[in-house]
């Protein structure tokens, strides 16, 4: 079960992080809106970096959860 949760957190983290990165880059460098977050809420560029950090935290949490489950299986 922990392995499934780890993969799920990691997958969500990749999507959230990618959306944060794409939205930040498009707004900062191109002056346009890419991705789907801007369709939900209008945020400044710095907030998209926060979304990127949330995505990275989810990825790290998912990897950590999967590795903990693997260590318990071995033991």
């Amino acid at each position: 079960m922990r392995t499934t949760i780890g993969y799920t957190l990691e997958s969500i983290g990749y999507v959230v992080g990618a959306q944060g990165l794409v939205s930040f880059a498009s707004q900062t460098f191109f002056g346009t809106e890419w991705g789907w977050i801007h369709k939900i809420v209008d945020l400044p560029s710095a907030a998209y970096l926060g979304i990127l950090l949330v995505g990275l935290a989810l990825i790290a949490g998912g990897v950590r959860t999967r590795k903990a489950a693997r260590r318990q299986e071995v033991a």
Side-chain angles (χ1 to χ4, degrees), residues 9-10 12-18 20 47-62:
L9 282 176
E10 190 176 354
I12 293 169
Y14 282 121
V15 171
V16 170
Y48 289 121
L49 288 178
I51 292 173
L52 172 62
L53 292 176
V54 168
L56 292 174
L58 287 171
I59 292 168

Side-chain angles (χ1 to χ4, degrees), residues 21-32:
L21 179 63
V22 165
S23 295
F24 172 76
S26 69
Q27 195 173 48
T28 302
F29 301 116
F30 302 105
T32 61

Side-chain angles (χ1 to χ4, degrees), residues 1-45:
M1 182 68 174
R2 290 178 86 181
T3 304
T4 303
I5 292 171
Y7 279 120
T8 303
L9 282 176
E10 190 176 354
S11 298
I12 293 169
Y14 282 121
V15 171
V16 170
Q19 287 298 313
L21 179 63
V22 165
S23 295
F24 172 76
S26 69
Q27 195 173 48
T28 302
F29 301 116
F30 302 105
T32 61
E33 297 288 341
W34 298 343
W36 51 265
I37 293 177
H38 74 276
K39 294 181 181 189
I40 299 169
V41 64
D42 187 26
L43 297 172
S45 294

Side-chain angles (χ1 to χ4, degrees), residues 2-3 60-75:
R2 290 178 86 181
T3 304
V63 169
R64 199 167 160 201
T65 302
R66 284 190 298 114
K67 287 186 177 180
R70 198 174 305 148
R71 279 192 293 260
Q72 282 184 346
E73 288 176 4
V74 173

